[in-house]
Amino acid sequence: MSKSEVFVLKFGGTSVQDATAMGRVVEITRSEGGTVPVVVTSACAGITNDLVACGECCGKMDQQGADEIVQRISDRHHEILKDLCGAHPAYDCSSELEEMLGELRQLVHGTILLGETTPRTVDTILSFGERLSSLLLRTAFQVAGVNAALVDSRDFIITESQHGSALPIMSEIERRTPEIINPIREEYDAIIAQGFIGRTVDGITTTIGRGGSDHTAALIGGGLGAEEIQIWTDVDGVMTADPRIVPKALVVPEMTFTEARELAWFGAKVIHPDTILPAVAKNIPVVIRNSHAPSAPGTRIWPDSHQIAPGFHSLTIKRNLRLIELATKIPGEGREIIDTAIASFARYNAPIECAVIAESRASILVSESTWNDRLRVALESVCLVQTHPKMALLCLSGSGLRTTPFLLASPLAALADISIRLVAAGSSDHVVLLGIEESEAEKGLRGVHERLFEE
Ligand code: ADP
Ligand code: ASP
Ligand code: MG
């Protein structure tokens, strides 16, 4: 079986939100998926959020709230199924659908009786989103005359047990994915698998983190040595900014793995940062494309060795940060004080998002959710501490940023009327980070976007 035959196509929530969208998935898979495409699906748009809310109702013993949500989920999937196979009763999988929904109802009732939700139960509840959508997607393929197999990703996406964001175990995934998928590739025209969900070696259902279906696609692509991983979403590719903030945003035609990872890390939701890892390990290109406009070429993400014109490519905002400004208590006190203070961030579980360090001062950004009292006390015991909540990082990503002269002049000029509390440039060839108040972040992003991409 040649490597060139394997294409992994991942479809996000809006790409499988209803019967029409699922029909598009089938057409795209036919035209872009090579000989035996492996389709990775998200839950239908909004369903994972519904399941999260359902889990919360279970924890509060709110039977009525949980029942209403499960009913809504049931209605939505039955409706899609009706739309899919109204004219093709032979493919009606209502009984399988009901069986799966029955399993969800039972789990929800059991959890309410116990009156507590554990991360493990929540993961099992969340897993129904992708399990339900994949069942319907198989019907969409069958109705269109495509002989599609439905596999259970939990049989090969093996993970550690950190529920909610379980770490994939690469050696197991690389062994099991071909073991399960290769023998059935000859028999079927498409193979459908669920994103987001996995299992521990002990057989307990896990999830790999919100937005994790992109990552699943790359794990499967890596496991099968795919020719290409396609991430089909609701925008034309990676854009110069989130189009919800800048409607005039343009498509970025290409970028490297490292740039894409940094961009995702600093807040571009269009791709999950971990998606890139298995692709990097195996040098598999990743393409982001629009399932609502499949003729658009999208964004191609290349291995780092690929040459890309230097310059800025895209802007993002990372929000909910707190700026911590440290200074030595006595002027002239040594750098070791600042170094001791900085070591406390790791000790008290507040990973540093961005830092600028001078001889007797440091400015450090951490996520608001990780900032904690024990860290504050530790910092105050060695130095002067001032903190500023509601901060954001404006991230300018691109390539050749360290080596191309004068690149920063233009974006900084666009921010002339915004107070910049921190600038981090030069540590990466792919990002420049500016710490500004969250309330000014969108205005700043629009200003820089206009200057860099609209003039
Ligand atoms: P999916 O459900 O297909 O995984 P997501 O909602 O996770 O889709 O990601 C796509 C969304 O990411 C887009 O609708 C867009 O609003 C947002 N987004 C944020 N930053 C960017 C960017 N730089 N380029 C493209 N989309 C972006
Ligand atoms: N359905 C999951 C979520 O909404 C995973 C995904 O869509 O990638 O987070
Ligand atoms: Mg996504």
Side-chain angles (χ1 to χ4, degrees):
M1 209 160 295
S2 97
K3 173 183 166 179
S4 63
E5 285 175 320
V6 183
F7 282 79
V8 177
L9 297 84
K10 176 263 172 177
F11 294 89
T14 54
S15 303
V16 291
Q17 66 189 356
D18 53 29
T20 313
M22 289 195 183
R24 273 195 301 264
V25 168
V26 176
E27 287 319 309
I28 289 170
T29 305
R30 266 192 174 131
S31 65
E32 307 291 328
T35 16
V36 183
V38 180
V39 173
V40 176
T41 184
S42 285
C44 303
I47 294 293
T48 308
N49 287 345
D50 284 347
L51 290 165
V52 169
C54 180
E56 285 165 4
C57 288
C58 293
K60 292 185 280 186
M61 297 175 92
D62 174 4
Q63 170 109 39
Q64 194 190 344
D67 283 348
E68 275 170 21
I69 295 172
V70 175
Q71 192 54 47
R72 200 163 65 227
I73 292 173
S74 167
D75 292 347
R76 171 109 179 261
H77 288 85
H78 275 294
E79 182 75 28
I80 297 177
L81 185 59
K82 197 172 95 216
D83 291 344
L84 281 174
C85 58
H88 305 268
Y91 298 114
D92 188 345
C93 64
S94 300
S95 54
E96 270 174 278
L97 177 59
E98 252 324 294
E99 201 179 309
M100 210 178 271
L101 287 164
E103 215 185 299
L104 172 62
R105 281 189 198 100
Q106 236 177 352
L107 173 65
V108 165
H109 287 168
T111 313
I112 288 174
L113 279 179
L114 282 173
E116 74 164 336
T117 44
T118 60
R120 173 174 162 173
T121 334
V122 170
D123 266 1
T124 308
I125 293 177
L126 295 192
S127 73
F128 280 89
E130 272 70 11
R131 288 161 65 192
L132 289 162
S133 65
S134 58
L135 182 64
L136 299 187
L137 196 56
R138 183 188 59 184
T139 307
F141 276 90
Q142 289 171 332
V143 163
V146 181
N147 184 20
L150 179 59
V151 293
D152 190 332
S153 293
R154 293 173 297 175
D155 292 339
F156 47 87
I157 301 295
I158 305 302
T159 74
E160 304 281 4
S161 60
Q162 310 88 341
H163 288 284
S165 55
L167 284 178
I169 304 175
M170 300 305 293
S171 53
E172 285 292 321
I173 294 172
E174 288 188 355
R175 184 173 64 80
R176 296 195 198 199
T177 310
E179 223 170 72
I180 289 178
I181 292 186
N182 284 344
I184 57 170
R185 282 174 45 186
E186 294 287 301
E187 251 177 278
Y188 292 95
D189 300 324
I191 293 163
I192 302 168
Q194 307 77 21
F196 184 51
I197 65 175
R199 240 189 221 129
T200 64
V201 277
D202 300 325
I204 311 298
T205 295
T206 53
T207 63
I208 61 170
R210 292 302 305 271
S213 297
D214 297 349
H215 192 188
T216 309
L219 290 168
I220 295 178
L224 296 175
E227 180 73 1
E228 184 173 288
I229 297 160
Q230 302 170 4
I231 307 290
W232 290 88
T233 182
D234 60 355
V235 281
D236 279 348
V238 178
M239 316 285 286
T240 47
D242 186 338
R244 287 172 300 190
I245 302 175
V246 182
K248 282 188 190 162
L250 310 164
V251 179
V252 182
E254 54 178 4
M255 56 176 59
T256 61
F257 282 141
T258 306
E259 184 185 341
R261 189 168 152 68
E262 299 227 24
L263 180 70
W265 176 255
F266 286 107
K269 191 189 169 204
V270 65
I271 187 168
H272 191 286
D274 293 341
T275 308
I276 300 299
L277 295 177
V280 177
K282 297 275 169 76
N283 259 355
I284 305 170
V286 177
V287 197
I288 321 278
R289 295 182 64 181
N290 189 349
S291 74
H292 305 268
S295 56
T299 300
R300 185 161 281 266
I301 304 176
W302 298 100
D304 285 347
S305 53
H306 189 83
Q307 282 302 314
I308 290 191
F312 290 111
H313 296 148
S314 189
L315 312 176
T316 54
I317 297 171
K318 189 154 194 169
R319 299 167 203 266
N320 294 321
L321 302 176
R322 180 177 286 254
L323 177 65
I324 294 97
E325 290 176 330
L326 307 176
T328 51
K329 286 182 179 168
I330 305 162
E333 221 174 18
R335 221 346 254 288
E336 58 286 3
I337 301 286
I338 297 295
D339 289 344
T340 309
I342 289 172
S344 307
F345 284 83
R347 187 163 338 116
Y348 296 105
N349 299 321
I352 293 175
E353 299 284 342
C354 180
V356 176
I357 304 164
E359 197 262 333
S360 58
R361 301 188 68 85
S363 295
I364 293 171
L365 282 161
V366 294
S367 163
E368 189 64 56
S369 63
T370 61
W371 172 243
N372 61 76
D373 270 346
R374 286 164 67 216
L375 172 58
R376 185 179 50 74
V377 170
L379 294 175
E380 284 172 351
S381 71
V382 289
C383 56
L384 300 173
V385 183
Q386 276 199 316
T387 86
H388 309 271
K390 299 200 171 70
M391 295 292 296
L393 270 175
L394 178 55
C395 165
L396 287 59
S397 80
S399 57
L401 302 187
R402 245 191 325 203
T403 43
T404 316
F406 306 122
L407 274 182
L408 255 183
S410 172
L412 286 181
L415 293 170
D417 60 345
I418 287 180
S419 127
I420 302 173
R421 305 292 292 261
L422 175 155
V423 179
S427 63
S428 154
D429 213 26
H430 297 288
V431 285
V432 170
L433 300 167
L434 306 173
I436 57 183
E437 283 184 17
E438 201 172 321
S439 59
E440 305 221 88
E442 291 199 3
K443 178 179 147 208
L445 182 142
R446 286 195 196 94
V448 175
H449 193 275
E450 205 177 315
R451 187 67 68 104
L452 289 179
F453 305 114
E454 298 171 41
E455 278 179 358

